[in-house]
Amino acid sequence: MNQPTGTRSTVTLDPRQAEPAPDPLTLPRLLPGDADPGLEAHFARLGPMPGGSPWVIDEVDAAGLRGRGGGGFPTAAKMRAVAGARQCVVVANGTEGEPTSSKDKALLAGSPHLVLDGISIAAETVGASEAILCVDRAASAAIRAVEAAVAERRQVFADRVPVRIETTPSRYVAGEESALVHFLNGGDARPVFVPPRPFERGVRRRPTLVNNVETFAHLALIARFGADWFRSLGTDADPGTALVTVSGAVARPGVYEVPMGIALGEVLRVAGGHGNAQAVLAGGYAGRWIPGAAVAALPLDPTSLKRVGATFGCGAVAVLGAESCGLAETARVAWWMSGESAGQCGPCVHGLPAIAGALDALVAGDRGRKAERQVRRWLEMVEGRGACHHPDGVAGFVRSALDVFAAEIEHHRRHGPCRPSAGVLPTGRSAGGWR
């Protein structure tokens, strides 16, 4: 097995000719736990890093890998869109502005070399001249880990396309791919809504591949061990594994790696859920509420969640206990999300605060049903009309709350607000500026 020396440590390696792969049914694949995070230990554990080659895109395609940042776009299609373009750029998105998610931070802190392998393999495969890893500037542990890893790799010339680290503002929409590209081009970290898309003209007007850091980590494993190995877990429609952040009313909140398609109830059991979930928020604050009674056997994967009107998103799962007020939690998050908008258009500037205010009225007790009618009308007014998808995400989240907590709305109408309690869903610190 090749160990890092004074020369570049990657090799051109077809997974069918690679060293024996780890047991594909053994988890975790992405987070090695207490293993040595250094480069030498990383290569000893997984073998040498394959070099980039056109077969990598074919293997990623056969694996069925989709983006793990929330959009779920086929990774191979994104790679093909920029492959061979002159001076294209690769951007790894580790900004993670979603308060209910911490999986990217955990991955960067615990497995920085796996992410960097994926970036390097992708950059070499598509012929990129530059690679950039973006991390939330407040994620100090992740930044320390990737800075140390990048320095270690430079000493042994591990990457033909060196990776540059950029820290980004701690804003919810700063990680949207057009906002990220705009920031890297010297602007504010706000979404832009004028074409072209990054794969057409992105960083410094070059074709740009933007993928989530977990996506790059999976790519690094697929390049080593092949599509069949990756597909040995998960479902036909949603193969592989995913990092899931479980929070809220569970005894052991944290980041778990799970096979796609595992029962959501099983994930909650492992995380120490007590079977008293009133509801579960899947997909973060642009996601959807799911009634607690429906989660036990519900498969946790994008396809299955879509069938019940929910979303997988970034893999965030927040559990609302029976003692919490889902209506009040929704109103509090809606206010926070209205403050996290880019402030560029009417649906965000005027629509989101109006929706949050009407939710407050529902919490206080909507005797004449005026507030509920207002919320539903304003949801229709903001959807599909924003400069970005931020108002669409908020609208979907709020509409799911109106359905799931319908009985609670009626209870508030008859009896007034619940007794105040500490908020369950995190809303983060003051976000600060966009630069």
Side-chain angles (χ1 to χ4, degrees):
M1 182 178 296
N2 293 345
Q3 299 294 337
T5 63
T7 60
R8 182 176 178 273
S9 55
T10 59
V11 295
T12 299
L13 185 70
D14 188 301
R16 293 167 295 184
Q17 302 171 342
E19 299 180 14
D23 181 352
L25 303 182
T26 300
L27 292 180
R29 291 175 169 183
L30 300 178
L31 295 173
D34 296 329
D36 182 349
L39 183 61
E40 186 170 351
H42 169 71
F43 284 156
R45 186 167 57 251
L46 295 178
M49 181 177 70
S53 175
W55 64 258
V56 171
I57 300 179
D58 294 336
E59 203 70 20
V60 169
D61 195 1
L65 176 64
R66 290 178 174 269
R68 294 295 197 259
F73 198 81
T75 304
K78 276 192 168 185
M79 295 177 74
R80 287 194 176 104
V82 302
R86 188 169 179 267
Q87 292 189 318
C88 64
V89 179
V90 167
V91 174
N93 189 348
T95 55
E96 199 170 39
E98 166 60 54
T100 61
S101 179
S102 56
K103 57 102 175 174
D104 291 344
K105 298 178 185 67
L107 179 63
L108 290 170
S111 299
H113 285 294
L114 186 62
V115 174
L116 291 166
D117 280 356
I119 298 170
S120 181
I121 295 166
E124 192 171 341
T125 296
V126 301
S129 59
E130 186 176 3
I132 307 168
L133 170 56
C134 298
V135 188
D136 181 349
R137 63 180 54 147
S140 55
I143 292 171
R144 287 196 299 271
V146 296
E147 285 180 341
V150 165
E152 191 176 11
R153 296 169 79 90
R154 284 176 178 166
Q155 288 180 349
V156 297
F157 308 101
D159 306 306
R160 284 183 181 165
V161 183
V163 178
R164 170 167 58 90
I165 300 170
E166 289 283 349
T167 58
T168 61
S170 301
R171 298 298 300 250
Y172 181 82
V173 298
E176 195 271 342
E177 69 173 19
S178 70
L180 195 57
V181 168
H182 194 241
F183 176 77
L184 294 173
N185 282 336
D188 294 341
R190 302 174 192 259
V192 297
F193 55 97
V194 177
R197 298 284 300 276
F199 70 86
E200 297 171 308
R201 189 164 70 241
V203 176
R204 288 192 299 284
R205 304 176 67 85
R206 300 173 182 174
T208 301
L209 171 68
V210 183
N211 270 323
N212 175 261
V213 291
E214 184 188 341
T215 309
F216 282 111
H218 285 295
L219 186 152
L221 294 177
I222 292 169
R224 279 181 167 90
F225 307 124
D228 291 343
W229 178 89
F230 180 76
R231 281 186 169 274
S232 60
L233 288 174
T235 70
D236 287 342
D238 299 293
T241 66
L243 295 178
V244 174
T245 308
V246 185
S247 62
V250 294
R252 293 179 291 277
V255 176
Y256 295 83
E257 184 175 5
V258 301
M260 287 289 196
I262 189 173
L264 179 51
E266 175 63 13
V267 176
L268 300 189
R269 185 194 66 77
V270 171
H274 302 299
N276 65 339
Q278 177 186 170
V280 170
L281 178 61
Y285 293 163
R288 305 293 186 269
W289 286 107
I290 302 170
V295 304
L298 179 63
L300 184 59
D301 61 70
T303 302
S304 300
L305 291 174
K306 185 177 181 180
R307 290 194 189 107
V308 298
T311 61
F312 185 85
C314 59
V317 174
V319 182
L320 189 73
E323 71 286 351
S324 298
C325 176
L327 198 57
E329 290 291 319
T330 301
R332 190 167 56 82
V333 170
W335 274 118
W336 185 82
M337 290 285 275
S338 73
E340 285 296 300
S341 82
Q344 303 184 112
C345 62
C348 277
V349 173
H350 304 296
L352 297 189
I355 290 168
L359 286 171
D360 275 349
L362 284 179
V363 173
D366 182 23
R367 298 287 182 180
R369 301 180 185 269
K370 176 182 177 182
E372 185 174 356
R373 289 194 298 269
Q374 287 178 326
V375 171
R376 293 189 183 278
R377 184 173 70 252
W378 290 333
L379 291 176
E380 292 179 0
M381 292 175 66
V382 304
E383 280 187 302
R385 297 174 179 169
C388 67
H389 294 297
H390 184 65
D392 298 339
V394 177
F397 164 69
V398 172
R399 183 172 283 110
S400 72
L402 297 181
D403 294 337
V404 171
F405 302 121
E408 196 157 337
I409 293 173
E410 185 61 28
H411 184 275
H412 281 238
R413 181 176 293 122
R414 292 175 179 272
H415 305 288
C418 299
R419 183 175 61 187
S421 60
V424 175
L425 299 179
T427 51
R429 62 198 176 281
S430 176
W434 295 95
R435 299 300 299 272

